[in-house]
Amino acid sequence: MLKGILSVLLVLVTLSSAIGKPDKTTPKKEKRIPQTLSRGWGDQLIWAQTYEEALFWSRSKNKPLMVIFHLEDCPHSQALKKAFAEDKEIQKLVDDDFVILNLVYETTDKHLSPDGQYVPRILFVDPSMTVRADITGRYANRLYAYEPADMKLLLSNMQRSLKFLKTEL
Amino acid sequence: MLKGILSVLLVLVTLSSAIGKPDKTTPKKEKRIPQTLSRGWGDQLIWAQTYEEALFWSRSKNKPLMVIFHLEDCPHSQALKKAFAEDKEIQKLVDDDFVILNLVYETTDKHLSPDGQYVPRILFVDPSMTVRADITGRYANRLYAYEPADMKLLLSNMQRSLKFLKTEL
């Protein structure tokens, strides 16, 4: 009789742990949308994944590198992203003449934060791997910040980085 | 008369350069498929983009990090990717207990290439940021290489990295 109770108990324990397991580990995830490298900054562009990869491409293609630091849940980043992704002239120039990278985490290279680590900020790097700290936006307190209204300035800065490329290299 | 010929010439030159431009710059690209961070190794997983990001997640979530080095056009990488992506047990364990990163370029951290830079290779890193060079595959000449037939070994290595986590930290 005791043996019988024990077996029933054992079955119950086994059952409950079998039932319990799926409950614990499957808060039924909905199907996730695969993350893209573009993160919405231009799905049609070819994005580098890491800074090392971007530097390699920049050197081997002799194209300047544009690094965009941003955060997914920062409204300023989101607004700039929208303007950047919708600006056909910028998207075309990037596609033709730039290596492009967007990062939500800082790199270990301090040269990429000449006046601090904030988002959004955009830095240009020459194929010689020199960070172009001289190419800045319009804000004195955050030299590498851009707003949606600054697309023309960003475009002219992109052209500047290409111009230097031709005259200096 | 000369003036007339000159104007005609000028119009022709303008025309031809206007016609020439689109021809040169629009070798009509087909619409590109946005690049994914998963690169086919598991679209449903949450992938880190860079090694810095992965280390940050590993520390803050106290989960071991799995780094997969591969190349898009390497047949061994492709075969391993297929086996990895299709292995439900591995995908679930990664999703529950690991931070995951796949890279097609080497990092600057030499600890991630204890016996050289080859693909495919898989390395485990503890949340304490220690590369677990002791967790190896079955090939003496390439300690961190895996083949599609090694999925059981990879799974047990994953479990090993979790076990050490519990006993050591």
Side-chain angles (χ1 to χ4, degrees):
Chain A
M1 180 59 192
L2 187 64
K3 226 177 174 182
I5 292 175
L6 276 179
S7 342
V8 169
L9 268 178
L10 200 66
V11 168
L12 279 178
V13 168
T14 316
L15 264 178
S16 72
S17 70
I19 294 167
K21 242 183 203 160
D23 280 343
K24 187 177 149 258
T25 52
T26 49
K28 257 310 160 213
K29 295 155 198 143
E30 61 281 20
K31 207 165 149 60
R32 300 187 189 120
I33 297 160
Q35 304 149 275
T36 61
L37 272 181
S38 78
R39 282 201 177 88
W41 289 83
D43 281 350
Q44 292 301 300
L45 301 176
I46 309 283
W47 294 87
Q49 179 183 355
T50 64
Y51 189 44
E52 290 86 359
E53 181 175 346
L55 287 176
F56 175 83
W57 282 7
S58 173
R59 285 194 79 145
S60 59
K61 296 180 178 181
N62 195 33
K63 290 181 174 182
L65 162 63
M66 223 174 140
V67 187
I68 303 171
F69 290 91
H70 66 113
L71 282 173
E72 302 267 22
D73 48 8
C74 152
H76 298 283
S77 299
Q78 287 164 355
L80 181 65
K81 169 159 59 178
K82 190 167 182 294
F84 185 93
E86 287 174 359
D87 192 306
K88 291 214 174 93
E89 214 171 341
I90 286 182
Q91 292 282 318
K92 169 146 181 50
L93 192 58
V94 170
D95 197 21
D96 288 345
D97 295 326
F98 285 82
V99 172
I100 184 106
L101 170 70
N102 77 77
L103 292 172
V104 290
Y105 279 77
E106 296 291 334
T107 69
T108 49
D109 187 350
K110 296 284 165 273
H111 295 103
L112 286 174
S113 45
D115 65 346
Q117 300 182 342
Y118 52 86
V119 294
R121 76 178 196 277
I122 299 180
L123 281 122
F124 293 89
V125 186
D126 270 351
S128 62
M129 293 172 68
T130 309
V131 175
R132 292 291 305 270
D134 60 312
I135 302 185
T136 60
R138 69 170 82 253
Y139 309 99
N141 56 338
R142 294 191 158 192
L143 288 173
Y144 309 97
Y146 294 84
E147 294 201 342
D150 302 331
M151 288 301 98
K152 282 275 166 288
L153 173 61
L154 181 59
L155 189 68
S156 92
N157 279 348
M158 290 169 67
Q159 280 152 349
R160 235 178 105 201
S161 85
L162 287 169
K163 197 174 146 199
F164 277 86
L165 191 70
K166 272 173 204 145
T167 52
E168 283 177 7
L169 299 181
Chain B
M1 179 60 192
L2 186 63
K3 227 178 174 179
I5 293 175
L6 277 179
S7 341
V8 168
L9 267 178
L10 201 63
V11 167
L12 279 178
V13 168
T14 316
L15 264 179
S16 73
S17 71
I19 294 167
K21 240 182 207 162
D23 281 342
K24 187 178 149 257
T25 52
T26 49
K28 259 307 158 216
K29 294 157 199 146
E30 62 281 16
K31 206 163 151 57
R32 300 187 189 119
I33 297 160
Q35 304 149 274
T36 60
L37 273 180
S38 77
R39 283 203 177 88
W41 288 84
D43 280 350
Q44 291 302 300
L45 301 177
I46 309 283
W47 292 88
Q49 179 182 356
T50 64
Y51 189 43
E52 289 86 357
E53 182 176 344
L55 288 176
F56 175 83
W57 284 6
S58 172
R59 286 194 78 143
S60 57
K61 297 181 178 182
N62 195 33
K63 290 180 174 182
L65 161 64
M66 220 172 140
V67 187
I68 304 171
F69 290 92
H70 67 113
L71 282 173
E72 302 266 23
D73 49 8
C74 152
H76 298 283
S77 299
Q78 286 164 356
L80 181 63
K81 167 158 60 178
K82 191 168 181 294
F84 186 92
E86 287 173 358
D87 192 306
K88 291 215 175 90
E89 214 171 341
I90 285 182
Q91 292 282 318
K92 169 143 181 48
L93 192 56
V94 171
D95 198 19
D96 288 345
D97 295 326
F98 284 82
V99 172
I100 185 110
L101 170 71
N102 76 78
L103 291 172
V104 290
Y105 278 77
E106 294 292 334
T107 70
T108 49
D109 187 350
K110 296 283 166 275
H111 295 103
L112 286 174
S113 46
D115 65 346
Q117 300 182 339
Y118 51 86
V119 292
R121 77 179 196 278
I122 299 179
L123 281 120
F124 293 89
V125 186
D126 271 351
S128 63
M129 294 172 69
T130 310
V131 174
R132 292 290 306 269
D134 59 313
I135 301 185
T136 60
R138 71 169 81 253
Y139 308 100
N141 56 339
R142 296 189 158 194
L143 288 173
Y144 309 97
Y146 294 85
E147 294 201 343
D150 302 330
M151 288 302 99
K152 282 274 165 289
L153 173 61
L154 181 59
L155 189 67
S156 91
N157 279 348
M158 290 168 67
Q159 279 151 350
R160 235 178 105 199
S161 84
L162 287 170
K163 196 173 145 199
F164 276 86
L165 192 69
K166 273 174 206 145
T167 53
E168 283 176 9
L169 299 181

